[in-house]
Amino acid sequence: GCFKRMEMKELGGEDAVVAIDPDNLLDFVCELGIRLLRNGAEIYRVEESVRRVLEIYGVDGINVFAIPSLILINFSAAGHNYSKSVRVRGTINNMERLNLLNALCRKICDGVLDFEQAKQELHAIERRPLYPLWASYLAYGAAAFFFALFWGGSVWDATAALVSGLIVKFALNVTMKFKTNLFFSNVVAGCFLAVVPILCHTLYPNYFHLDMIIIGTIMLLVPGVAIANVMRDVLAGDTLTALTKFTEVLIIGLGIAIGIAIPMSLLKLLFAAIG
C-alpha cells in the first residue's frame, strides 16, 4: 500500500526507458538497496522497494535477492542482461534515514521525481548528519534510567543505571572506532555495563540492587529490531534471512552474557581471596 504503479506514458513511454543508462540505473538501485539494508529495513521492504523502482523505469526480468549482508539485483533492458551483487557490511539502524529512504521510493513510484532528481535526493539523504554525539549519550542514559524504573528498581537503581548506560555508550563508540566484530563489541560493552552496578551494590547494598541496575542497562544492548525482523522474516517465508538474523541475535546474547559474567566472576574471586 506504500507504492502506486505509474504508467510508462507518464515517463514519456519507451523513450523514457532508453534515456536512462541501464548501468546508471543498476548503480542507483543497488545504492538504494544498500542504504535501506544498512539503516534497518526489513528484507521484504528492500526487495519490494528495489523491484518497484525498477518497474517504474520500465526494465524487464527483474530479480532482487537480499540477505542482511548481501544484495543481488538482475534485470533486462534493450536486449541485454544487467546484474550486480554488493556486500553489505554493518548496520546503523537509523530510523530517520530509513523514513527518508522510504519517502524517496514513494516519490519515485508516484512520478514526483525524475531519475536525476532521485539520484540527487539519495545522495542528499546519505550526506545528512547522524545524531549528535551528545544526543546519543543522552538517549542511552535516559533509556537505562527509565528501564530500571520500569522493571521495579528504585530511583537509586535508575541513577546507577543511567551512569552505566553512559559507560556502555562510550564502550560501543570505542569498539566501533576499532571496527571490532559484533561478538567482541558486546563482550566489551557487557564488561563495562557490570562495573557500576557491582561497585554500587558492593559499597551500598541497602540502596542499590544489582539485578535491577543490570536489567535496566542491559536493555540497551538487547537487539530488539533484529528479534522483530526474525519473526517478520519467518512469517514472510524468508527462512535464510531469519536464520541469519537469529544467529546474530544469539551471538549478541552470548557476548552480553560473557561480558557481564567476567567482572562478576573476578569480583567473586577477589572476595574469596580477601576472605
Side-chain angles (χ1 to χ4, degrees):
C2 298
F3 298 95
K4 186 177 77 175
R5 174 64 175 156
M6 182 195 306
E7 298 297 332
M8 287 310 301
K9 62 182 180 181
E10 297 180 28
L11 291 174
E14 294 297 327
D15 293 337
V17 180
V18 176
I20 301 174
D21 180 45
D23 288 318
N24 289 337
L25 177 59
L26 182 59
D27 290 339
F28 171 74
V29 293
C30 270
E31 191 68 20
L32 176 62
I34 291 170
R35 299 307 168 196
L36 285 167
L37 273 176
R38 292 202 66 221
N39 287 284
E42 307 93 323
I43 293 298
Y44 85 93
R45 184 186 300 273
V46 175
E47 295 180 343
E48 188 74 0
S49 298
V50 172
R51 182 180 65 81
R52 289 182 179 267
V53 168
L54 287 172
E55 286 178 351
I56 286 298
Y57 291 119
V59 298
D60 301 315
I62 301 169
N63 288 288
V64 184
F65 174 76
I67 57 175
S69 59
L70 176 73
I71 181 167
L72 175 62
I73 301 174
N74 176 268
F75 63 81
S76 300
H80 298 281
N81 288 325
Y82 296 86
S83 179
K84 187 174 183 179
S85 61
V86 183
R87 181 81 160 86
V88 182
R89 297 183 182 275
T91 58
I92 55 177
N93 291 330
N94 189 310
M95 297 296 106
E96 181 185 13
R97 283 187 179 178
L98 181 58
N99 182 55
L100 292 172
L101 291 167
N102 287 331
L104 172 60
C105 294
R106 295 186 182 98
K107 289 179 183 178
I108 294 173
C109 293
D110 287 340
V112 177
L113 302 174
D114 61 27
F115 183 65
E116 290 301 322
Q117 290 173 331
K119 287 174 60 178
Q120 292 174 8
E121 185 160 336
L122 178 61
H123 294 154
I125 292 172
E126 182 58 26
R127 287 194 299 268
R128 287 178 67 89
L130 296 173
Y131 302 115
L133 190 60
W134 66 265
S136 299
Y137 274 95
L138 179 62
Y140 269 70
F145 180 90
F146 288 108
F147 268 122
L149 292 178
F150 176 80
W151 293 115
S154 65
V155 176
W156 291 102
D157 298 328
T159 304
L162 186 151
V163 177
S164 184
L166 297 177
I167 295 175
V168 167
K169 177 58 179 174
F170 173 76
L172 291 176
N173 283 348
V174 172
T175 56
M176 186 181 299
K177 289 181 180 179
F178 287 98
K179 298 181 179 180
T180 58
N181 60 59
L182 191 65
F183 175 77
F184 185 75
S185 295
N186 282 277
V187 169
V188 173
C191 286
F192 281 92
L193 182 155
V195 171
V196 171
I198 290 173
L199 290 177
C200 291
H201 179 70
T202 302
L203 297 175
Y204 305 99
N206 294 328
Y207 293 95
F208 297 98
H209 303 89
L210 183 63
D211 54 347
M212 294 300 173
I213 303 172
I214 290 180
I215 291 173
T217 311
I218 206 174
M219 296 302 293
L220 300 174
L221 300 176
V222 173
V225 175
I227 294 173
N229 285 344
V230 167
M231 301 307 298
R232 175 63 182 80
D233 292 331
V234 169
L235 295 176
D238 295 326
T239 308
L240 179 60
T241 301
L243 289 174
T244 303
K245 278 294 181 181
F246 183 65
T247 303
E248 179 181 316
V249 169
L250 291 179
I251 291 173
I252 292 173
L254 182 61
I256 296 171
I258 293 175
I260 294 176
I262 290 174
M264 295 186 72
S265 300
L266 291 176
L267 183 64
K268 287 183 179 180
L269 292 175
L270 179 62
F271 282 160
I274 294 175

